[in-house]
C-alpha cells in the first residue's frame, strides 16, 4: 500500500499537527504490512501558488520552456502523480486564520486538475480520484468543529476531497490547543485515543 503523508504546519517540532500526523502514519504502518510511505513537507518544500506564470508554463511546449518554467511544470506534475499513486493519505491540517495553511491550499490547487482528478459531464461533476482512504489531522487553537468558524477548515477539506471522488475520510481532531497547558494536553490525549481506536478497528 502506498501512503502519502502530508504536513503543512510552519511550526516545525512545535507543531501539534505534525506530531499527530506522524502518529497516524506510524499506527498505519504498524497495522498493515508493506506500507510504502512518501512524505511531503509543504512548509519546507513549498509549492508555488497558481498564477498567470504557472498557467503559461503549463501551456508552453516543453522544448520552449525556460528553466523556471520547466521546474514549475515538473514539480506540479510530480505532485499530481504522487497524489494519484497513493492508496491512502494523511493530511496534517492546522487552522490558520479560520482556514487551512496557504501551503496546503497550494497543494490542493496542484491536485485538483480537470481531466485528471475530476471532470464535468452532461450529468454534472464527477470525481476521478476515488478509492483512496484519507485521514485528516485537524488542529486548532480554539474550538471550531461544527461551527461557522470551521467551515473553511475541516469542512472545506472534506468538500474538496469529495469533489475529487474521495469519500472514505476520517478526521482526527485536537482543538483548544491555545487554551492552556491542561486543555492542550487533554486535546492531544483525545486525538491519540482517536488514532488508537481508528487502527484497532482496522
Amino acid at each position: 500500500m502506498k501512503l502519502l503523508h502530508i504536513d503543512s504546519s510552519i511550526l516545525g517540532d512545535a507543531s501539534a499537527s505534525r506530531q499527530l500526523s506522524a502518529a497516524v502514519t506510524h499506527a498505519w504502518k504498524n497495522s498493515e504490512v508493506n506500507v510504502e510511505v512518501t512524505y511531503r513537507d509543504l512548509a519546507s518544500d513549498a509549492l508555488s501558488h497558481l498564477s498567470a506564470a504557472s498557467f503559461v508554463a503549463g501551456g508552453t511546449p516543453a522544448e520552449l520552456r525556460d528553466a523556471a518554467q520547466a521546474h514549475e511544470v515538473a514539480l506540479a506534475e510530480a505532485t499530481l502523480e504522487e497524489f494519484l499513486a497513493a492508496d491512502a493519505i494523511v493530511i496534517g491540517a492546522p487552522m490558520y486564520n479560520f482556514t487551512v495553511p496557504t501551503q496546503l491550499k497550494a497543494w490542493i490547487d496542484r491536485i485538483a486538475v480537470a481531466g485528471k482528478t475530476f471532470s464535468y459531464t452532461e450529468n454534472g461533476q464527477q470525481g476521478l480520484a476515488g478509492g483512496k482512504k484519507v485521514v485528516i489531522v485537524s488542529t486548532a487553537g480554539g474550538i471550531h468543529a461544527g461551527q461557522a468558524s470551521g467551515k473553511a477548515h475541516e469542512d472545506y477539506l472534506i468538500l474538496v476531497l469529495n469533489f475529487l471522488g474521495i469519500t472514505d475520510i476520517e478526521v482526527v481532531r485536537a482543538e483548544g490547543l491555545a487554551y492552556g497547558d491542561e486543555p492542550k494536553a487533554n486535546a492531544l490525549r483525545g486525538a491519540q485515543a482517536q488514532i488508537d481506536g481508528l487502527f484497532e478497528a482496522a
Side-chain angles (χ1 to χ4, degrees), residues 120-145:
Y120 291 111
T121 70
E122 294 176 348
N123 298 318
Q125 177 272 337
Q126 179 180 4
L128 304 177
K132 303 178 190 298
K133 180 174 180 63
V134 175
V135 175
I136 297 169
V137 175
S138 169
T139 59
I143 305 295
H144 303 283

Side-chain angles (χ1 to χ4, degrees), residues 176 179-189:
Y179 287 4
D181 291 341
E182 186 175 353
K184 179 178 180 178
N186 290 338
L188 292 175
R189 278 195 296 270

Side-chain angles (χ1 to χ4, degrees), residues 10-11 27-28 42 50 52 62-63 66 69 85 95-96 99 103 106-107 128 132 144 167 178 184 191 197:
I10 62 173
L11 298 181
W28 216 324
L42 298 175
L50 286 182
E63 65 275 11
D66 60 27
Q69 289 176 323
M95 175 185 275
Y96 292 167
T99 189
Q103 293 86 352
W107 179 78
L128 304 177
K132 303 178 190 298
H144 303 283
T167 57
K184 179 178 180 178

Side-chain angles (χ1 to χ4, degrees), residues 106-201:
W107 179 78
I108 289 169
D109 288 339
R110 299 305 184 183
I111 65 164
V113 180
K116 296 287 188 177
T117 56
F118 73 91
S119 65
Y120 291 111
T121 70
E122 294 176 348
N123 298 318
Q125 177 272 337
Q126 179 180 4
L128 304 177
K132 303 178 190 298
K133 180 174 180 63
V134 175
V135 175
I136 297 169
V137 175
S138 169
T139 59
I143 305 295
H144 303 283
Q147 302 185 37
S149 58
K151 292 293 184 183
H153 185 225
E154 284 181 23
D155 291 351
Y156 166 68
L157 287 172
I158 292 169
L159 175 68
V160 169
L161 293 169
N162 287 170
F163 181 81
L164 302 181
I166 299 169
T167 57
D168 190 356
I169 302 168
E170 299 283 351
V171 178
V172 170
R173 182 183 301 119
E175 293 192 295
L177 299 177
Y179 287 4
D181 291 341
E182 186 175 353
K184 179 178 180 178
N186 290 338
L188 292 175
R189 278 195 296 270
Q192 185 60 56
Q194 292 176 60
I195 295 168
D196 295 341
L198 184 60
F199 291 97
E200 283 174 1

